[in-house]
Every structure is written in structure tokens, then in C-alpha cells.
């Protein structure tokens, strides 16, 4: 797919969105202290509640936002989302109580249409055979943003604790201006569908998506991959400290390295593999890499093995955009927003449930009772991916052709 103006703008929007998320990571402990946390443990708990509130709001409103973009077009919904994110960062910069911060995060989750609508926009302008690589560029954009965000946040926090929020607000506002004047609408009027009361029910919307012919399998696969991949942001720091006695600098360095690898895979390797082998064969490679990477981290106690498995784990991040492309290719143009909203909601469910489950597994595997196995959460995540391999096989285009 050609990197034309609208596509580049969408990618830049996602980079800015990811920067805005990652820019606050370095200041979260100090921010929680600012709003009343009395200890590190309490600060971690309050921060976790904020993350869950954002994910829950995204789950509830993601399908609604997606359906709105199917009815009224991608451009107005996307611009509205960027305006809301700018306001959210201002709220967080001015907040002096925890509840104001929480309201800001819920507001951001409710209007978290940036990713949903941007993905639907790309589905509109990309040919079906180009969508896998195009969605991979979304992952690359997020990878770049997540690498830049924490670095920029750490630097800006030296000026003032709220400086990262003001920078994120400014970047978002600047992007609103560019989008307002430069972003064309991608969804043709004839490809739109009416927005009805049933679209306001996220649970009903998700259920309807699962009953669309051919869509249930990719949706289940996406959810499981998102669930399994949550082991990295949830437990990497704790696992690294437990197994290797890593300090914060080393943990941050390895996470940044992983983000760079993901960006390289999504922007460079994924388009080449899909161009040579097609989406399905590339998905098989990504699935194999996911199993090998997760099992490798779960079993290793050697630092050199971490650096061996990191590139393999990065290859596994090709799976979600490829499965998203399979899902997008199974619905009509007037349902792209709905499908992307449902995918965002399922990702949010994974973001809420996976940390609760995986941290419980980790706590049991490192206590003084029973088998000591700090890599158990990674092994459990590998088992989850193995469990959906039969579903992955059902995505084979040749299998679909034989059914017809």
C-alpha cells in the first residue's frame, strides 16, 4: 500500500496517541503521591484502578464509537476523539485529586476512538489483500510512540511533574488542527449504515458481531492473542527483578528494545513476509513465534536467552494485525467501524482480565509453598496460544474456498 497523505496522517495520529500514553509512565509514582497515595503499594493500586477504568470504558463504548463512524463517517469521529484526548490531558495536568484523574481516564476511554476509527479508516482505503500489512503499520506506529513516550516523559518531568501532560495535550491539539484541514473522509455515503438504538448496547453489538458469518473465529483468536501478550507489560518488570535482579534502568532498557523490535517487525518484516508468503502463511509464522517466545521466557533463567527470545517474541506481534485483516475482509464496508470497535472492546476485556489472572499465577509461582517457577505466567500464556491453533488453521483461505 502506498504511503499517501491520509495514510501517513493516520499513522502520525497513532504515534501521537501512543506517545501520550507512554509519556506518563515515568511520572506515575510521583503523580499518585501528588493526589494522596501514602505508599508505593497504594500508588500502584490506584494506578491499576485507573488502567482498569480506562479499559472498562473502552470496552463499553468501543463498539458504539465504531458504529457511529459507520453511520456518520470516520473523519468527524476521529477529530472528536483527538479533541477529547487533548481535553483529557489538560484535566490530568490540572488534577490535584485522585477522582479528577479517574474521571479523566474514563473520559479518554469513552472517546477512545483514535485506534478504532483509524483502523476502520485504513480498512476503507486499503485493498483487501493490503490490509494485513497496513494494519501492521498501525502496530509499528504504536511501537514508535511507546519508545518515544517514556523517554520524552522522563525528560519533561525534570521541568515539572505536569509537563508531560501539557506536552501530550499540545501534540494532540496540533494533530486536531492538521486533521481538520488535511484529512479527507474515507467512507463513501453509499457505504454508510444507519445508527440505531441497538448500537448503543455494547453487549448486543459484540454478540451481533460474533453471529456475522465467518467472524467469530478471528474475534476469538484476537482476544486470546491480546490476553496472552498482556503478560509482557503486566509482568516483565516483576519477572526480570525476580529472576535476574534487574533494576529499573535495565527493565526500561529491555522494554524499549522490545518496542523498537516491534516497530521494525511491523514496518519492515511484516510487509515483506505478506508480500512473499501471503497473510495466512505469515500468520502461521507469527503464531509459532508466539509459542516459542512465551515458552522460552517461561523456562529460561539465563540472561543471554532473553536476548535470543526477544526478537522471536517481536515476530509474534504480527499476529493481531493479520487476524484483524482476516476479520475486516469478512464484513462489508458499512460494518468496518463496528468490527474495529468490537475488536477494541475485546482487547479491553483482555487488558482488564489478563493482569488479574497472570499476576495471580505469578504470586503462586514465587511464594515459598509449592513449585518455584517465576516463568509460569509466560508458560500459561503459551498454552493459551496453543489452544487456538486449531482456530488459526480455520482461517486458511484455501479451506474457505473449499467450503464455497
Amino acid at each position: 500500500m502506498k504511503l499517501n497523505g491520509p495514510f501517513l496522517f493516520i499513522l502520525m495520529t497513532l504515534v501521537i496517541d501512543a506517545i501520550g500514553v507512554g509519556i506518563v509512565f515515568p511520572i506515575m509514582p510521583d503523580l499518585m503521591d501528588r493526589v494522596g497515595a501514602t505508599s508505593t503499594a497504594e500508588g500502584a493500586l490506584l494506578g491499576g484502578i485507573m488502567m482498569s477504568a480506562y479499559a472498562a470504558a473502552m470496552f463499553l463504548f468501543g463498539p458504539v464509537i465504531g458504529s457511529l463512524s459507520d453511520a456518520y463517517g470516520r473523519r468527524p469521529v476521529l477529530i472528536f476523539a483527538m479533541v477529547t484526548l487533548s481535553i483529557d490531558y489538560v484535566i490530568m495536568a490540572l488534577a490535584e485529586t485522585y477522582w479528577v484523574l479517574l474521571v479523566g481516564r474514563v473520559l479518554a476511554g469513552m472517546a477512545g476512538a483514535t485506534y478504532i476509527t483509524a483502523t476502520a479508516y485504513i480498512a476503507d482505503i486499503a485493498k483487501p489483500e493490503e490490509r494485513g500489512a497496513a494494519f501492521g503499520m498501525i502496530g509499528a506506529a504504536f511501537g514508535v510512540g511507546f519508545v518515544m513516550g517514556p523517554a520524552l516523559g522522563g525528560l519533561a518531568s525534570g521541568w515539572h511533574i505536569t509537563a508531560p501532560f501539557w506536552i501530550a495535550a499540545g501534540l494532540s491539539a496540533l494533530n486536531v488542527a492538521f486533521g481538520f484541514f488535511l484529512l479527507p473522509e474515507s467512507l463513501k455515503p453509499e457505504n454508510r449504515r444507519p445508527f440505531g438504538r441497538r448500537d448503543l448496547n455494547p453487549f448486543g453489538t459484540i454478540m451481533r458481531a460474533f453471529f456475522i458469518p465467518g467472524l467469530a473465529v478471528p474475534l476469538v483468536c484476537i482476544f486470546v492473542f491480546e490476553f496472552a501478550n498482556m503478560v509482557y507489560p503486566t509482568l516483565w518488570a516483576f519477572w526480570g527483578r525476580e529472576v535476574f535482579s534487574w533494576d529499573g534502568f535495565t527493565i526500561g532498557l529491555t522494554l524499549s528494545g522490545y518496542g523498537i523490535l516491534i516497530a521494525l517487525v511491523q514496518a519492515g518484516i511484516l510487509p515483506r513476509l505478506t508480500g512473499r508468503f501471503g497473510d495466512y502463511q505469515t500468520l502461521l509464522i507469527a503464531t509459532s513465534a508466539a509459542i516459542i517466545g512465551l515458552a522460552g521466557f517461561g523456562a529460561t533463567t539465563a540472561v543471554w536467552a532473553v536476548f535470543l527470545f526477544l526478537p522471536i517474541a517481536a515476530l509474534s506481534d504480527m499476529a493481531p494485525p493479520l487476524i484483524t485483516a482476516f476479520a475486516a475482509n469478512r464484513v462489508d464496508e458499512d460494518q468496518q467501524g463496528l468490527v474495529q470497535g468490537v475488536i477494541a472492546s475485546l482487547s479491553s476485556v483482555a487488558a482488564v482480565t489478563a493482569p488479574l489472572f497472570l499476576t495471580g499465577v505469578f504470586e503462586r509461582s514465587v511464594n515459598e509453598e509449592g513449585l518455584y517457577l517465576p516463568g509460569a505466567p509466560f508458560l500459561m500464556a503459551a498454552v493459551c496460544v496453543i489452544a487456538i491453533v486449531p482456530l488459526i488453521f480455520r482461517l486458511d483461505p484455501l479451506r474457505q474456498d473449499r467450503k464455497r
Side-chain angles (χ1 to χ4, degrees):
M1 181 177 177
K2 294 182 180 179
L3 294 177
N4 54 25
F7 189 30
L8 287 173
F9 176 83
I10 292 296
L11 293 180
M12 183 55 62
T13 296
L14 295 170
V15 169
I16 292 174
D17 192 21
I19 288 174
V21 174
I23 203 171
V24 303
F25 286 167
I27 65 169
M28 280 302 290
D30 291 336
L31 185 64
M32 293 300 100
D33 290 343
R34 184 175 186 240
V35 296
T38 58
S39 67
T40 301
E42 184 181 1
L45 175 62
L46 295 177
I49 292 173
M50 286 177 56
M51 292 178 63
S52 294
Y54 176 87
M58 177 71 81
F59 164 72
L60 291 173
F61 289 90
V64 178
I65 295 298
S67 294
L68 283 171
S69 76
D70 284 339
Y72 301 107
R74 317 298 184 202
R75 183 177 180 273
V77 175
L78 190 57
I79 291 176
F80 172 78
M82 292 187 292
V83 170
T84 305
L85 287 175
S86 299
I87 295 172
D88 172 61
Y89 290 128
V90 172
I91 290 174
M92 296 189 74
L94 297 175
E96 295 185 358
T97 66
Y98 176 73
W99 297 109
V100 174
L101 283 178
L102 189 61
V103 168
R105 286 289 80 193
V106 170
L107 179 66
M110 290 172 60
T114 308
Y115 178 85
I116 299 166
T117 315
T119 309
Y121 192 105
I122 290 176
D124 292 338
I125 64 176
K127 298 176 182 178
E129 65 273 14
E130 297 175 333
R131 284 172 175 164
F135 290 151
M137 293 297 290
I138 292 177
F142 266 89
V144 171
F146 276 123
V147 171
M148 295 173 61
L152 184 58
L155 177 64
S157 64
W159 307 330
H160 192 273
I161 188 174
T162 63
F165 292 121
W166 291 112
I167 292 175
L171 289 173
S172 296
L174 187 64
N175 208 38
V176 169
F178 281 120
F180 186 82
F181 291 105
L182 301 177
L183 186 67
E185 178 56 61
S186 64
L187 186 62
K188 298 177 181 178
E190 61 268 23
N191 290 332
R192 301 181 187 185
R193 63 182 178 88
F195 182 86
R197 285 192 301 175
R198 68 176 188 170
D199 291 308
L200 293 173
N201 181 355
F203 299 98
T205 302
I206 292 171
M207 290 303 298
R208 288 203 312 277
F210 272 91
F211 281 102
I212 294 175
L215 198 57
V217 169
L219 289 180
V220 170
C221 292
I222 286 173
F223 172 76
V224 173
F225 261 103
E226 295 291 353
F227 185 96
N229 281 341
M230 281 300 297
V231 73
Y232 293 109
T234 301
L235 284 170
W236 185 263
F238 297 99
W239 173 76
R241 180 179 296 178
E242 178 71 22
V243 178
F244 305 112
S245 299
W246 284 345
D247 57 15
F249 175 79
T250 305
I251 292 168
L253 187 65
T254 53
L255 284 173
S256 293
Y258 184 53
I260 292 171
L261 288 171
I262 289 175
L264 291 174
V265 166
Q266 303 280 26
I269 296 177
L270 177 57
R272 287 175 172 79
L273 288 180
T274 55
R276 182 170 182 178
F277 300 112
D279 286 2
Y280 177 68
Q281 295 295 330
T282 305
L283 176 59
L284 295 182
I285 295 172
T287 303
S288 302
I291 296 170
I292 294 170
L294 290 167
F297 289 130
T300 189
T301 56
V303 172
W304 62 266
V306 173
F307 295 97
L308 172 65
F309 289 119
L310 268 178
I312 298 174
L315 288 174
S316 74
D317 271 84
M318 296 187 298
L322 289 170
I323 302 173
T324 299
F326 279 106
N329 291 339
R330 279 165 165 74
V331 300
D332 296 330
E333 297 304 314
D334 65 350
Q335 293 180 312
Q336 291 296 336
L338 178 148
V339 170
Q340 300 308 327
V342 169
I343 290 173
S345 285
L346 293 175
S347 299
S348 298
V349 174
V352 172
T353 57
L356 299 176
F357 174 75
L358 294 172
T359 53
V361 172
F362 183 76
E363 192 277 331
R364 288 177 177 270
S365 66
V366 298
N367 62 25
E368 297 179 357
E369 301 176 1
L371 178 66
Y372 178 78
L373 187 61
F378 292 93
L379 297 175
M380 290 296 296
V383 170
C384 290
V385 176
I386 292 171
I388 62 166
V389 168
L391 296 181
I392 296 292
F393 289 153
R394 291 181 60 182
L395 297 175
D396 186 353
L398 295 179
R399 179 189 178 102
Q400 300 297 322
D401 291 340
R402 286 194 295 270
K403 282 186 175 182
R404 298 189 186 97

